[in-house]
Amino acid sequence: ISQQVLNLPESRTVGSQHFFHFLAFVGHIPFGLICHPNKEHLLYPLGCTVVIQELASKKQVFLHGHTNNVSCIVVSRSGTLVASGQVTFMGFKADIILWNFWKKELLVRLSLHKGKIEGLAFSPNELYLVSLGGQDDGSVVVWDIIKREAVCGSPASARSAGNTTIVECSGCRDEMFVTAGNGTIRVWELDLPNRKIRPTECQTGQLRRVITSLKITDDDNYFYAGTSSGDILKVNTNNKLMTEYGPKEKFSLVSSSSVSSIFSLSSSLLVTGIGATSWRIITKIQVQGGVTSLTCRGQGHQFFVGTNMCQMYRINYTAFKEELIAACHNEAVNDIVFPVGTSDLFATCSKNDIRVWHTPENRELLRIVIPNMTCYAIEFMKDGKSIISAWNDGKIRAFMPETGRLMYVINNAHSLGVTAIAATNDCKRIVSGGGEGQVRVWAIGEKTRKLEAVLKEHISTVSCIKLKKNDQECVTASLDGTCIIWDIVRSIRKQMILANTLFKCVCYHPEEYQLITSGTDRRIAYWEVFDGSAIRDLEGSLSGSINGMDITSDGAYFVTGGDDHLVKMWDYKEGTVTHVGVGHSGNITRLKICPGNKYIVSVSADGAILLWKYPDFP
């Protein structure tokens, strides 16, 4: 979870909204998790932001400056400098940003590579920064940190070799670094007077490997290279010859960096006495997902592991036991909901699971796992006794909110998956929508679940359902371009709203005489509930669909989010944007204003959950 605050747009003094906490860890970026040399902070990229998190308090600070997703991050040996690189569109220059860690400020942008920054490395005395371009760039560049300019560059690999994906600087000399990748390992020497870098290809005999990690020994005599085929190569830095490799029993994938005497594997950790010829496994730990980052704290008494399942572990070296310290969705988050009257808890749903979060501590309280299924929508029953959920296998499942125990299942609720769900205030009925377009009303008893009505007007997926406070009426939005107001007591249609759009979200104004809708046409429309007539039409976004919407309890403001990755707060009466929040790197799928208007929570297709401070209005 990330916490941010909304900002004013440029048009008027519109405040900037910044998140104040992330509930997310994107684990798929190689070497993306770094423990700062001060032993008190972790750094990792999340979308277009670099997160700095205190280990003790879990307080987060954010480095904003990238225009697209951060692809790599590195910290200098002293901890004073942080460098981060990003991806961009093909043919455009990808920025490297140099930050001052202590002041949390941007020092300089370095732009030379195109498409993507694949890797970064600081020289030991922080004189140089070495950067590696992505597949479409293919070059390695040495930057002078003091002068803030490029010294020289070169193609990263020979034409006969594959892509270079990793760069690692020497532990002793500023003028030496190593690059590796698909069928290539090179040791480079910087010739500063002539502004040249000169590579020497390392010889591995008949072995052909894809190198996925590098570790140079402290004395610079050897370096170790982890490979995609599950073995580790030991190479002499002086004569550039491979001296040995192992173990004979290969691992599934050596996928991350090696720190001191530790290598990480895709599903376990290997500790090896570096330099030993036996490559003997002493002990190992199983973690969830492939390991993408391994970072040492201090002298190695403790280290942290990041996996591609968005899990973060802390491991004490002596006990060698893992402790899960952070976890998040690794698929798109489809819905977010608060229980009635509390801002301390909320639930999110995604592929495979539903998770309940505790906002004061920003941690996961409960995980409900249904393997290989996707949950599209969730709702807390008003009495707090159950969480109801809509699933792609056509079932409605209800769980106990404290334990996650399954209470009941409504089988075959919809033929093409349940895509939307809502519950009445008296907790006696559930209204569900399906992929086939039907709206169904279910009577819920203590031990019975009975189908009361089937409402067949929509001809495409029902995307959103909202009920009136009196439990007698609801509105459903559909991708067929209609919103329908239903009388769910008499099971008839009262009004139909038509627009040239795929409706993604709908909200009742708290006084329930108006509706607001939005969808793929990027327009926000106000409608009269009484007769379905249009009242007002606003441009909600310059690019991309609006997927989520929520309104304050007094109806004065509402928030929207969508494919433009922006959280926008609107004045309901004026129809103007008051605040804009920048922080998501994926399409926003849903957002909610918490009870009591403390903050706003938004979720996105990349699995991120962001908490935004609710603006202070005059």
Side-chain angles (χ1 to χ4, degrees), residues 33-52:
L33 178 64
I34 298 173
C35 188
H36 192 270
N38 70 1
K39 310 177 193 176
E40 295 175 3
H41 293 86
L42 286 175
L43 294 90
Y44 54 91
L46 187 57
C48 45
T49 305
V50 176
V51 182
I52 301 173

Side-chain angles (χ1 to χ4, degrees), residues 584-598:
H584 278 285
S585 60
N587 295 343
I588 297 170
T589 51
R590 282 287 188 265
L591 30 60
K592 282 284 191 301
I593 302 168
C594 79
N597 294 353
K598 286 184 181 179

Side-chain angles (χ1 to χ4, degrees), residues 63-66 96-100 103-109 148:
L63 304 180
H64 301 283
H66 287 287
I96 300 164
I97 297 181
L98 198 63
W99 311 86
N100 182 303
K103 295 181 179 179
K104 310 295 187 289
E105 67 180 17
L106 189 153
L107 297 177
V108 65
R109 285 181 190 272
R148 313 280 170 86

Side-chain angles (χ1 to χ4, degrees), residues 163-240:
N163 298 322
T164 301
T165 54
I166 302 168
V167 59
E168 182 80 6
C169 278
S170 157
C172 302
R173 295 190 290 144
D174 286 299
E175 293 76 25
M176 190 195 91
F177 61 93
V178 180
T179 61
N182 186 355
T184 174
I185 306 174
R186 284 179 155 187
V187 177
W188 300 76
E189 295 281 347
L190 172 64
D191 180 0
L192 190 59
N194 296 310
R195 296 177 72 97
K196 295 276 186 183
I197 44 174
R198 308 186 191 281
T200 306
E201 204 76 41
C202 295
Q203 303 302 315
T204 58
Q206 297 298 312
L207 262 70
R208 293 293 177 266
R209 294 288 188 269
V210 178
I211 309 301
T212 56
S213 63
L214 287 172
K215 171 60 183 176
I216 303 175
T217 58
D218 292 338
D219 58 10
D220 271 359
N221 290 329
Y222 295 94
F223 64 86
Y224 294 84
T227 73
S228 62
S229 54
D231 48 11
I232 302 164
L233 315 183
K234 182 180 179 182
V235 182
N236 188 307
T237 313
N238 301 311
N239 60 21
K240 283 71 175 178

Side-chain angles (χ1 to χ4, degrees), residues 388-389 391 394-398 408-410 413 418 421 430 432 442:
I388 56 172
S389 54
W391 295 80
K395 296 180 180 181
I396 295 171
R397 294 178 170 90
Y408 61 82
V409 179
I410 302 176
V418 189
I421 200 164
I430 291 173
S432 64
W442 307 85

Side-chain angles (χ1 to χ4, degrees), residues 61-72:
V61 177
F62 308 99
L63 304 180
H64 301 283
H66 287 287
T67 56
N68 209 320
N69 287 355
V70 178
S71 56
C72 56

